[in-house]
Amino acid sequence: MTSKIKKEDSFKESFAELEKIVQEFETGEMDLDESLEKFEQGLALAAACKKRLSEIENRVSEIKKKFSAQLQDTPPQDGDATPF
Amino acid sequence: MKFEEHTSLEESLQPILSVSEFIEYSNLLLGRKQVVVEGEISSFTVSQGKWVFFDLKDASSTVSCFSMLYRITTQLTDGMQVRITGTPRVHQKSGRFSIFVDAVELSGYGSLKKAFELTKAKLEKEGIFDSARKRALPAMPHCIGLICSQESAAYSDFIRILNQRWGGVDILLAHVQVQGQSAIQEIAGAFEYFNTAGTDAELLVLIRGGGSLEDLQAFNSEQVARAVFGSRLPVICGVGHERDESLADYAADVRAATPTHAATLTVPDRNELILHIGRMTRTIESGMDRAIEWHGHQLQTSLSHMSHRIAARIERFHFLTRTLSKGIAMMGTKIDEHTRSIQRAYVVLESSLERVLTAKQTAIDHLGRNLSNMNPLTVLGRGYSIVREGKKIIKKKGDVSPGSHIDITFSDGEVSADITKVQQQAPLF
């Protein structure tokens, strides 16, 4: 389960990273070397994210348990105890 | 007579019970089966915070009911139409007939609406519905808890939309009754489970399809509303159709209009994200194009600047070279001029010098001749003589006296003499 969560987190991270790179391109403040590097990185991230989005399924697992909330008070013994 | 006969016959067939035994026996008969009775509540009272008493009546009859407060899961007041589930019994001491109520259900729209209003007011006052306490949902959950009926359309709709939109989610399904007697306990129990069992669920989804106010009762109960409010995890609640609003909806962190809507709130839409990624890719690409264009332009500009600068430098270099050459040429000319001036000056100087020397020479000769005339020896040659007494030259007769020893220098030498007499006469001339 943890490795799966790590995989999902890395998708989130990749996606966030991609958005960051896009912002850098929008502000247009980079030099040519940096631009080329970020360009390659960005396209790789986009491809990875797209792939990830296209492939995974959901999984339903039923909790095998009967649910019943705890009642507030324990019932007293008998109706005979009623004060009438 | 007949009666006495009858009774003596029955006596042999019928046991004779005491009152207590009779009541016990009656309860045995009555207690075998639970009944469900519908009627209107009146004289509803709660005693010692524990016991609940009310009468249940219809047009012509009334029956006493009693219960424990904890079993009453809905707000009740006089006039409400209800359906009670319970066991008839006779009170041991008083012989009084009543129904011991196990559960109460509201019936009829009026009761339900009334109970709804009462519960809503009560919970609102406690801050159960406060928007300030509502929590944010995680954006891309890996694991969710789903509380609903597995057999319902709500469940299948939810799952279908979830699958369309997103993948990689673990759905922990807590199957519960969503109407009827056990619904409230089961739903509350499911929330309790997720609070305590330590699952990986990051949020909970509570859904139920449409129905009447009676069908949705459980979701308007105080217990379910409190369970939703008290959930450790954020809750999305989607009950009924769009126009239905339940207390569970109000208590939830996020309200969905329908189970389908709940799915759209739980996860993002992958297609939308794919489009968004496409847009981002295009932004990066056009950004890159612009960068290349800009840098290319910069480069062009720099190069042309540079070539201009170089040309300017070369031009300057040539200019300086020419200036230098001219300068050198001019200097040569000047040097020649100066040399000639010097030469001329030299010539002038030479002749001047000659003249000066000649003049001087003449002057010297002249002075020489003068000097020659003044030579004492020449004077001596003419007959004069120098008289000395010792070193002192005698110029006057008074300087000597008879007996003085003198030296006399003639042109050809010296003689020595002694003075014999000093003449008294004045000189001849």
Side-chain angles (χ1 to χ4, degrees), chain A residues 1 4 8-9 15 22 32 39 43 53 56-63 66-67 69 75-76 82 84, chain B residues 66 68 70 96 142 150 163 166-173 185-186 193 200 270 280-281 288 295:
Chain A
M1 184 61 108
K4 181 153 205 261
E8 280 307 305
D9 276 351
F15 193 80
V22 169
L32 200 58
F39 176 75
L43 290 195
L53 286 174
I56 347 165
E57 300 288 307
N58 296 323
R59 182 172 53 228
V60 179
S61 44
E62 190 183 339
I63 301 169
K66 181 115 175 73
F67 302 105
T82 55
F84 77 108
Chain B
F66 78 96
M68 320 295 293
Y70 72 87
R96 186 180 165 141
H142 324 301
Q150 199 175 17
N163 285 340
W166 201 246
V169 182
D170 278 328
I171 302 160
L172 303 176
L173 173 62
Q185 302 303 336
E186 288 190 27
Y193 171 81
D200 286 329
R270 77 174 109 227
M280 288 201 281
T281 306
M288 193 68 232
H295 280 105

Side-chain angles (χ1 to χ4, degrees), chain B residues 172-379:
Chain B
L172 303 176
L173 173 62
H175 168 71
V176 293
Q177 293 302 310
V178 288
Q179 67 185 67
Q181 283 294 343
S182 54
I184 294 174
Q185 302 303 336
E186 288 190 27
I187 295 168
F191 274 100
E192 203 177 293
Y193 171 81
F194 282 111
N195 278 345
T196 56
T199 64
D200 286 329
E202 295 162 60
L203 62 89
L204 300 178
V205 181
L206 177 66
I207 49 170
R208 198 230 121 88
S212 65
L213 194 55
E214 195 169 332
D215 293 333
L216 303 179
Q217 258 186 83
F219 295 85
N220 288 322
S221 70
E222 189 177 329
Q223 202 169 1
V224 167
R226 286 190 191 280
V228 170
F229 177 76
S231 166
R232 190 174 55 83
L233 302 167
V235 178
I236 300 172
C237 184
V239 169
H241 300 305
E242 272 199 53
R243 63 173 188 284
D244 297 320
E245 285 199 358
S246 66
L247 299 182
D249 284 334
Y250 295 144
D253 296 276
V254 176
R255 188 203 158 226
T258 60
T260 303
H261 186 215
T264 68
L265 296 171
T266 308
V267 290
D269 181 5
R270 77 174 109 227
N271 292 311
E272 219 176 84
L273 279 185
I274 288 173
L275 285 174
H276 184 45
I277 290 171
R279 280 194 297 269
M280 288 201 281
T281 306
R282 281 192 294 280
T283 305
I284 291 174
E285 284 170 346
S286 63
M288 193 68 232
D289 284 339
R290 268 203 315 276
I292 289 172
E293 205 183 289
W294 188 81
H295 280 105
H297 177 70
Q298 284 299 97
L299 203 62
Q300 275 289 78
T301 311
S302 299
L303 281 173
S304 94
H305 272 158
M306 213 156 72
S307 70
H308 279 144
R309 289 238 182 84
I310 289 170
R313 290 229 182 245
I314 290 171
E315 182 54 43
R316 181 140 181 83
F317 176 72
H318 284 141
F319 172 76
L320 288 172
T321 313
R322 282 195 299 272
T323 311
L324 192 64
S325 307
K326 272 201 208 130
I328 288 171
M330 262 169 50
M331 218 159 68
T333 313
K334 281 236 151 55
I335 288 170
D336 289 343
E337 275 178 26
H338 283 305
T339 310
R340 281 196 293 276
S341 309
I342 289 168
Q343 280 174 346
R344 280 196 299 269
Y346 186 70
V347 164
V348 167
L349 200 64
E350 239 185 356
S351 54
S352 307
L353 206 61
E354 250 185 65
R355 278 200 303 274
V356 167
L357 285 172
T358 312
K360 292 288 179 214
Q361 194 68 46
T362 312
I364 287 169
D365 288 347
H366 188 67
L367 285 170
R369 280 194 299 276
N370 283 354
L371 209 62
S372 193
N373 289 342
M374 302 211 176
N375 194 356
L377 287 178
T378 317
V379 177

Side-chain angles (χ1 to χ4, degrees), chain B residues 30 54 60 189 238 307 350 425:
Chain B
L30 292 168
F54 58 92
S60 47
S307 70
E350 239 185 356
Q425 286 165 291

